[in-house]
Amino acid sequence: MSQHDSVMSATYKQRLRGWLSYAFASEAFVVVSLTLFLPICLEQFARDNGFFQPEKTQSCNSLSGDAPANVDDRCAVKIGWLWIDTASFSLYVYSISVALQALTVISMGSIADRPLYRKPLLLTFAAIGAFSAIFFLFLSSSSPLWMMSAIFAIFANVGFGASVVAMNAYLPSLAKDSPEVIQAHSELRSSCEDRDENAALAASADVELELSLEEVSDPLLGHPIHPGASQSTYTTALSRATSRISSLGIASGYGAGIILLLVALIPVTRLGGSTFSLRLAIGLSGVWWALFSIPAAIWLPNASNIDEPESGSIKPDDDWTFSSEIGAAWKRLVVMLRWREIQRLQHTFRYLAAWFLLSDGFTTITSTAILFGKTTLHMEPPSLILIGAITPFSGIIGSLVSPILQRKFMWSNLHVLVLLVLMVSLIPAYGCLGFLPIFKGTARFGGLTTQGEMFGLAVYFGFAYGAFQSYARAFYAELLPPGEEARWYGLFSITDKSSSFVGPLIVGLIADSTGNIRYAFFFLVFMVWAAVPVLLSVNIDKGRQDARDYVSRRTLVGE
């Protein structure tokens, strides 16, 4: 290896460590706070300031000797002139944070496409999110400013979502600079050079020989070159490198979440799940997020050593401002969603349609399973928290094992995705079996009728879901117009978040109308299976070429 290659390899490893370190930093907040402690803490903040309905005269936190006759009475808190159920309070906060996150992602996507500003943008939103979580340490539910908890939660979620869009924008360039892709690219270039040399030899031959086209490729000129094979090798190497790096990021994040979750469980358990213990867990996730973002700040490329090409659709650095770029980003979103653009990138949009269904289906399976375990199987909070730890741990195994199986069986990313989707669809299908008479009454196992089955399904689901997250991101990376990764990952994030309202809403309506949440499993099976034909219609090779042509055309016509 030459000195130049050694330097390039060291630079690549440093960038990869920086990228993985931010996944390690930010995903801990998701596992510990966003999906577990933050919703509980927000509900507890509201409960500590709420009153039992319908009288609304007795405080909800008075559960001692002067507790109401029926402690199951619903608790409501007054926000302005409205009385809001304390359980709904956290849902409303989450909905608002998702909406603001979508607006932020749209506005900053084009800025994150500029390599010079990608890292500052990532670190800025990381700081906003981390310190918003840390502020929970200093806010008591008895404070007159307790409503600030909603503001902190919103800013934390927005900071996470926006920073992850900037982080994902690094993925395509990291894959292209990986050693195996560099080697495949070198072989492809060598193949093209050999082909050009053979063409020159054939052109310089004596015209009197009147060689036929078949004779030009005679072995006398050397072995025939098949550039198509080299191109296929390169695209395969790029695809696998993307999925491998994405899998490492998912595994790194899940690992951080498990470690911090086990640490946070100590004070939460010893303090009996008090509001302070919940605040402490959220604050710890913010501290973790901030501390482990420091290696990312050091190792991710700075403005002085960025060599990524900017898209031709992006104006030069001396011809823009943040405000003008934000306005242009919204205009570009309108252009991106025009029917003409959808036709140009039809395979990218087909995948986004499948992602809309799958993202909603998978996240709804998670929330429905936890709610089903609590209300139908009567699982205690410690058991549910244990499931919350088992799932990401199994996700680490899934995200690391899947690339190994892919290489062994020579599967494409699309084949892996479809297999994982079918695997996850078996979970709600298994829950539907609980309606069969054989699993009712005296049955001790089967059809998701026992608590033990929940633990087994947590392992199974975590394995498939961890792998799915890494491959979903990697597969999408192959369909993006070069130089516009952040903008399109922003649309990826918007599709994800906008779908998060549909599944829970329908599951809630099903549960309310039937009185049995198990009926929701039929809907979840349908939602996941509906995405399979859409996913199978995606042609990755055609989509990749369309993305390249899309940028070339925009550059040519000055769009």
Side-chain angles (χ1 to χ4, degrees):
M1 180 183 293
S2 66
Q3 183 177 359
H4 178 267
D5 290 339
S6 299
V7 172
M8 291 294 294
S9 177
T11 302
Y12 167 75
K13 291 179 179 178
Q14 177 175 295
R15 291 171 57 200
L16 179 60
R17 285 197 301 267
W19 191 81
L20 292 176
S21 68
Y22 188 71
F24 189 81
S26 60
E27 286 294 332
F29 168 77
V30 178
V31 175
V32 173
S33 295
L34 201 57
T35 60
L36 188 57
F37 290 116
L38 193 56
I40 300 174
C41 185
L42 289 173
E43 196 277 338
Q44 191 62 48
F45 263 81
R47 178 172 292 272
D48 289 347
N49 291 273
F51 297 87
F52 284 109
Q53 299 190 74
E55 292 82 3
K56 303 183 179 70
T57 58
Q58 189 167 6
S59 175
C60 296
N61 60 6
S62 59
L63 296 178
S64 55
D66 58 343
N70 182 9
V71 295
D72 291 328
D73 284 345
R74 293 175 60 188
C75 184
V77 62
K78 191 173 185 181
I79 308 294
W81 64 91
L82 294 176
W83 286 93
I84 298 175
D85 188 282
T86 56
S88 300
F89 175 73
S90 62
L91 295 175
Y92 291 143
V93 171
Y94 178 76
S95 297
I96 293 172
S97 70
V98 168
L100 292 179
Q101 187 184 91
L103 295 175
T104 304
V105 164
I106 295 172
S107 300
M108 52 79 69
S110 296
I111 301 175
D113 275 327
R114 298 177 179 273
L116 290 174
Y117 298 97
R118 185 177 300 158
K119 179 177 176 180
L121 209 61
L122 184 151
L123 296 177
T124 298
F125 281 106
I128 291 173
F131 283 101
S132 295
I134 292 173
F135 287 156
F136 271 89
L137 291 171
F138 309 104
L139 182 65
S140 171
S141 62
S142 61
S143 169
L145 300 176
W146 71 270
M147 273 291 296
M148 289 296 297
S149 62
I151 304 298
F152 294 154
I154 290 171
F155 272 83
N157 195 17
V158 170
F160 168 75
S163 66
V164 166
V165 169
M167 183 189 80
N168 286 340
Y170 283 103
L171 183 57
S173 62
L174 282 171
K176 291 176 183 177
D177 292 339
S178 62
E180 62 267 38
V181 175
I182 291 293
Q183 180 179 354
H185 184 267
S186 177
E187 293 174 356
L188 174 61
R189 185 169 56 184
S190 176
S191 173
C192 292
E193 290 175 352
D194 290 343
R195 181 187 60 184
D196 293 341
E197 182 178 348
N198 287 339
L201 289 174
S204 62
D206 190 350
V207 294
E208 293 182 359
L209 295 178
E210 297 181 350
L211 294 175
S212 66
L213 182 61
E214 289 78 10
E215 292 173 329
V216 173
S217 59
D218 190 84
L220 290 174
L221 297 175
H223 296 289
I225 301 299
H226 301 285
S230 298
Q231 179 66 44
S232 176
T233 301
Y234 172 74
T235 54
T236 300
L238 180 62
S239 176
R240 292 180 179 174
T242 306
S243 61
R244 176 181 61 81
I245 295 172
S246 182
S247 297
L248 288 176
I250 295 296
S252 174
Y254 276 180
I258 292 173
I259 294 171
L260 186 57
L261 183 61
L262 295 177
V263 172
L265 280 179
I266 298 175
V268 171
T269 304
R270 291 191 174 183
L271 295 175
S274 65
T275 307
F276 173 73
S277 67
L278 300 175
R279 289 165 42 208
L280 182 61
I282 296 171
L284 285 175
S285 70
V287 172
W288 181 288
W289 189 355
L291 287 178
F292 287 100
S293 293
I294 296 176
I298 297 174
W299 290 330
L300 285 175
N302 298 310
S304 59
N305 56 6
I306 290 179
D307 56 1
E308 297 178 39
E310 293 187 350
S311 169
S313 63
I314 296 179
K315 295 179 292 185
D317 287 336
D318 58 354
D319 191 30
W320 74 285
T321 62
F322 279 98
S323 59
S324 64
E325 192 68 14
I326 291 173
W330 283 90
K331 293 179 181 178
R332 278 191 287 266
L333 176 64
V334 174
V335 172
M336 288 168 65
L337 298 179
R338 288 178 181 171
W339 180 246
R340 182 181 62 181
E341 304 301 307
I342 293 176
Q343 288 181 311
R344 291 177 183 173
L345 295 171
Q346 58 177 295
H347 294 282
T348 303
F349 279 97
R350 285 181 188 179
Y351 180 73
L352 284 173
W355 171 247
F356 181 92
L357 294 171
L358 293 175
S359 175
D360 190 18
F362 280 37
T363 54
T364 308
I365 286 174
T366 304
S367 58
T368 303
I370 293 295
L371 186 59
F372 179 83
K374 185 177 185 298
T375 59
T376 304
L377 302 182
H378 307 292
M379 300 182 71
E380 296 295 327
S383 298
L384 295 174
I385 293 175
L386 182 58
I387 286 178
I390 291 174
T391 302
F393 179 78
S394 182
I396 295 176
I397 299 175
S399 63
L400 295 177
V401 170
S402 295
I404 298 175
L405 296 177
Q406 181 187 23
R407 288 193 296 270
K408 181 178 180 179
F409 295 103
M410 303 297 291
W411 291 332
S412 67
N413 284 354
L414 179 59
H415 291 158
V416 176
L417 269 178
V418 173
L419 178 61
L420 292 171
V421 169
L422 294 177
M423 286 177 61
V424 172
S425 71
L426 295 179
I427 295 176
Y430 182 75
C432 294
L433 297 179
F435 285 105
L436 297 178
I438 190 175
F439 296 121
K440 294 182 177 180
T442 58
R444 297 184 177 180
F445 184 84
L448 197 53
T449 55
T450 64
Q451 295 186 10
E453 292 172 87
M454 283 290 291
F455 290 96
L457 289 179
V459 175
Y460 177 85
F461 176 75
F463 181 92
Y465 190 42
F468 170 79
Q469 285 185 301
S470 61
Y471 276 92
R473 181 170 59 183
F475 189 82
Y476 184 65
E478 299 186 67
L479 298 169
L480 301 185
E484 300 182 7
E485 290 82 5
R487 185 185 313 163
W488 286 89
Y489 267 118
L491 187 58
F492 185 73
S493 177
I494 294 168
T495 306
D496 177 17
K497 297 302 180 184
S498 62
S499 69
S500 63
F501 296 98
V502 180
L505 175 62
I506 296 179
V507 168
L509 293 174
I510 292 173
D512 287 338
S513 60
T514 64
N516 187 349
I517 197 173
R518 190 184 290 272
Y519 282 102
F521 290 138
F522 289 103
F523 163 71
L524 293 173
V525 172
F526 170 77
M527 174 172 279
V528 175
W529 283 358
V532 174
V534 181
L535 194 59
L536 288 174
S537 70
V538 178
N539 186 322
I540 186 65
D541 294 326
K542 183 67 166 59
R544 191 187 294 115
Q545 184 60 49
D546 288 345
R548 288 195 292 263
D549 295 342
Y550 178 81
V551 172
S552 299
R553 184 184 183 283
R554 286 168 62 91
T555 304
L556 183 63
V557 301
E559 293 183 347

